[in-house]
């Protein structure tokens, strides 16, 4: 692994917004974008290169994520925008043509154009950590991601083989342990919008729900195995999942992980827990939510551990809060361990769900400040 090739530090945070009409952002005036059940309003947005501020309002009936795409690559995203809420996002964009996801995966994508112009003066921001200080953490994180993606390929091969062979009990047993590898590195896997959509989407992401032909991947197989209690008709879905997993392996192998992706990934993982795992939305048929819950926590803790020396120098109180809340989450999860796995999510007592909400919410808030603490924009 060549350090220079894999650890190119890109500190440009690419982000923007979209829906019907067109808008041009002034240096300080925010660009408003509303996500409805049908798409973005406006669907076409134009801004100048440099820093822009976007206000993304969710006017749909479900929590949504908003992404900026360059081809199939995700260059910026904001997950889990709750219905009725508005999220403000500051982004630094290079000139070029981008797309935006607008709610349901079956909705048309929006268009974002960043027209060439003289760049505005940069706003004052915290001094970034030295790129050389990030070389070690980035290299270690790439090793971690590589190990998880290798395991994902191996275990997905066994899982899909069981599905195709009609071995219902075997496939059910392999489902949750296999998915854990994806969940630990989800911020990196989500950089490839096309694969994330086909591998990890839920039926709620589509207008026709479970009947939509675009609903594939782990959760489509989950519905068959645990909802329908059958492997009938799942062979093509299993084949596609295996092909997508191998494609993800190839793409990640050649990926230079940026500081933004790594540092921001810690907050993304815990926000995923707060919005989907605690509610039980993620694995509605198998009730294996605690496997994913633990995997998201594992992935976030790995990132935090690698960044600990750098954050400790800048905000030791933040480090102490984060470690304390991780310990509280780990303690609750430990109560529901069962051999190598976890009890069904249905067995999680209401008081334990409530006990998790506080530290998980605090973690999401604290980890969202990591990029700012380290000066990574």
């Amino acid at each position: 692994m060549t350090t220079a090739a894999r650890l190119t530090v890109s500190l440009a945070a690419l982000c923007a917004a979209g829906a019907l009409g067109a808008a041009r952002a002034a240096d300080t005036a925010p660009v408003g974008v509303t996500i409805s059940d049908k798409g973005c309003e406006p669907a076409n947005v134009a801004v100048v290169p440099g820093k822009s501020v976007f206000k993304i309002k969710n006017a749909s009936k479900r929590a949504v994520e908003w992404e900026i795409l360059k081809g199939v690559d995700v260059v910026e995203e904001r997950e889990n925008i709750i219905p009725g809420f508005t999220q403000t996002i500051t982004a630094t964009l290079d000139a070029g043509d981008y797309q935006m996801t607008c709610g349901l995966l079956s909705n048309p994508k929006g268009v974002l154009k960043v027209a060439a112009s003289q760049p505005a003066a940069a706003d004052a921001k915290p001094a970034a950590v030295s790129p050389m200080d990030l070389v070690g953490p980035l290299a270690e994180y790439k090793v971690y991601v590589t190990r998880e993606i290798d395991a994902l390929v191996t275990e997905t091969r066994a899982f899909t083989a069981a599905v195709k062979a009609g071995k219902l009990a075997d496939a059910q047993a392999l489902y949750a342990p296999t998915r854990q590898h994806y969940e630990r590195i989800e911020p990196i896997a989500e950089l490839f919008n096309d694969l994330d959509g086909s591998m990890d989407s839920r039926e709620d992401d589509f207008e026709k729900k479970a009947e939509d032909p675009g609903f594939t991947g782990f959760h489509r197989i989950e519905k068959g195995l645990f909802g329908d209690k059958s492997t009938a008709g799942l062979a093509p879905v299993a084949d596609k999942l295996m092909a997508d997993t191998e494609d993800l392996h190839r793409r990640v192998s050649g990926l230079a992980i940026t500081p933004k992706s790594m540092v921001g990934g810690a907050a993304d993982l815990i926000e995923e827990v707060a919005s989907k795992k605690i509610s039980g939305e993620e694995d509605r048929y198998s009730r294996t939510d605690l496997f994913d819950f633990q995997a998201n926590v594992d992935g976030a803790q790995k990132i935090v551990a690698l960044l600990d020396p750098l954050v400790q120098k800048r905000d030791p109180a933040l480090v102490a809060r984060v470690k304390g809340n991780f310990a509280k989450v780990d303690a609750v999860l430990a109560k529901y361990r069962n051999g190598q796995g976890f009890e069904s999510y249905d067995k999680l007592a209401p008081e334990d769900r409530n006990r998790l909400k506080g530290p998980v919410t605090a973690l999401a808030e604290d980890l969202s400040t990591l990029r700012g603490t380290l000066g990574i924009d």
Side-chain angles (χ1 to χ4, degrees), residues 73-243:
D73 295 340
V74 178
V75 294
E76 187 60 275
E77 65 177 344
R78 180 60 55 86
E79 293 189 341
N80 308 316
I81 305 175
I82 299 171
F85 280 66
T86 299
Q87 296 250 6
T88 299
I89 302 169
T90 300
T92 303
L93 293 163
D94 294 330
D97 294 333
Y98 303 83
Q99 287 184 307
M100 303 165 295
T101 55
C102 298
L104 295 173
L105 294 180
S106 48
N107 286 347
K109 290 183 173 63
V111 175
L112 170 67
K113 287 187 174 292
V114 183
S117 174
Q118 291 296 321
D123 294 339
K125 58 183 179 181
V129 294
S130 165
M132 292 306 298
D133 289 338
L134 289 167
V135 167
L138 284 168
E140 287 297 320
Y141 188 56
K142 182 62 183 283
V143 170
Y144 174 77
V145 170
T146 300
R147 184 170 62 246
E148 291 298 326
I149 198 74
D150 287 346
L152 178 66
V153 170
T154 299
E155 296 188 25
T156 301
R157 186 171 291 116
F159 170 59
T160 55
V163 171
K164 293 173 65 178
K167 297 179 179 179
L168 179 62
D170 289 349
Q172 288 175 330
L174 290 170
Y175 170 75
T178 300
R179 265 181 56 75
Q180 280 193 307
H181 300 293
Y182 188 93
E183 292 290 321
R184 288 187 185 114
I185 62 165
E186 195 164 16
I188 302 304
E190 286 182 343
L191 293 174
F192 308 103
N193 173 264
D194 57 333
L195 293 180
D196 184 54
S198 63
M199 293 177 69
D200 197 42
S201 59
R202 287 168 288 279
E203 60 188 71
D204 294 338
D205 294 324
F206 301 92
E207 186 175 5
K208 296 180 180 179
K209 303 287 185 178
E211 303 306 314
D212 197 296
F215 178 40
T216 61
F218 278 111
H219 290 299
R220 174 63 186 90
I221 296 176
E222 179 204 3
K223 179 184 182 298
L225 297 180
F226 298 93
D228 304 331
K229 292 183 170 46
S230 171
T231 60
L234 293 179
V237 185
D239 283 338
K240 178 167 177 53
L241 177 61
M242 190 66 240

Side-chain angles (χ1 to χ4, degrees), residues 132-373:
M132 292 306 298
D133 289 338
L134 289 167
V135 167
L138 284 168
E140 287 297 320
Y141 188 56
K142 182 62 183 283
V143 170
Y144 174 77
V145 170
T146 300
R147 184 170 62 246
E148 291 298 326
I149 198 74
D150 287 346
L152 178 66
V153 170
T154 299
E155 296 188 25
T156 301
R157 186 171 291 116
F159 170 59
T160 55
V163 171
K164 293 173 65 178
K167 297 179 179 179
L168 179 62
D170 289 349
Q172 288 175 330
L174 290 170
Y175 170 75
T178 300
R179 265 181 56 75
Q180 280 193 307
H181 300 293
Y182 188 93
E183 292 290 321
R184 288 187 185 114
I185 62 165
E186 195 164 16
I188 302 304
E190 286 182 343
L191 293 174
F192 308 103
N193 173 264
D194 57 333
L195 293 180
D196 184 54
S198 63
M199 293 177 69
D200 197 42
S201 59
R202 287 168 288 279
E203 60 188 71
D204 294 338
D205 294 324
F206 301 92
E207 186 175 5
K208 296 180 180 179
K209 303 287 185 178
E211 303 306 314
D212 197 296
F215 178 40
T216 61
F218 278 111
H219 290 299
R220 174 63 186 90
I221 296 176
E222 179 204 3
K223 179 184 182 298
L225 297 180
F226 298 93
D228 304 331
K229 292 183 170 46
S230 171
T231 60
L234 293 179
V237 185
D239 283 338
K240 178 167 177 53
L241 177 61
M242 190 66 240
D244 286 345
T245 303
E246 290 172 339
D247 190 6
L248 179 63
H249 185 274
R250 286 190 293 270
R251 297 193 201 185
V252 170
S253 294
L255 178 69
I257 297 177
T258 65
K260 180 185 75 174
S261 297
M262 175 185 169
V263 179
D268 290 344
L269 284 163
I270 298 303
E271 286 171 2
E272 179 91 357
V273 171
S275 66
K276 296 185 175 68
K277 270 61 173 186
I278 289 182
S279 68
E281 169 190 331
E282 181 81 0
D283 294 298
R284 65 191 65 178
Y285 297 105
S286 63
R287 310 316 301 155
T288 56
D289 304 77
L290 290 177
F291 283 82
D292 291 356
F293 199 133
Q294 183 68 70
N296 287 157
V297 171
D298 290 344
Q301 284 182 309
K302 180 64 177 181
I303 294 170
V304 169
L306 292 173
L307 295 172
D308 182 275
L310 298 177
V311 181
Q312 187 73 244
K313 292 178 181 178
R314 293 177 170 231
D315 193 342
L318 173 62
V319 173
R321 289 198 306 274
V322 168
K323 287 183 177 179
N325 282 314
F326 269 131
K328 292 176 183 177
V329 172
D330 286 336
V332 175
L333 290 176
K335 293 172 60 177
Y336 294 92
R337 285 197 173 275
N338 182 3
Q340 297 300 311
F342 289 92
E343 301 281 358
S344 169
Y345 193 64
D346 294 332
K347 295 185 178 181
L348 192 73
E351 56 267 27
D352 280 333
R353 294 194 191 199
N354 291 330
R355 194 172 291 121
L356 283 169
K357 287 179 182 178
V360 166
T361 301
L363 277 171
E365 293 174 353
D366 281 337
L367 295 178
S368 70
T369 69
L370 277 180
R371 278 174 56 177
T373 300

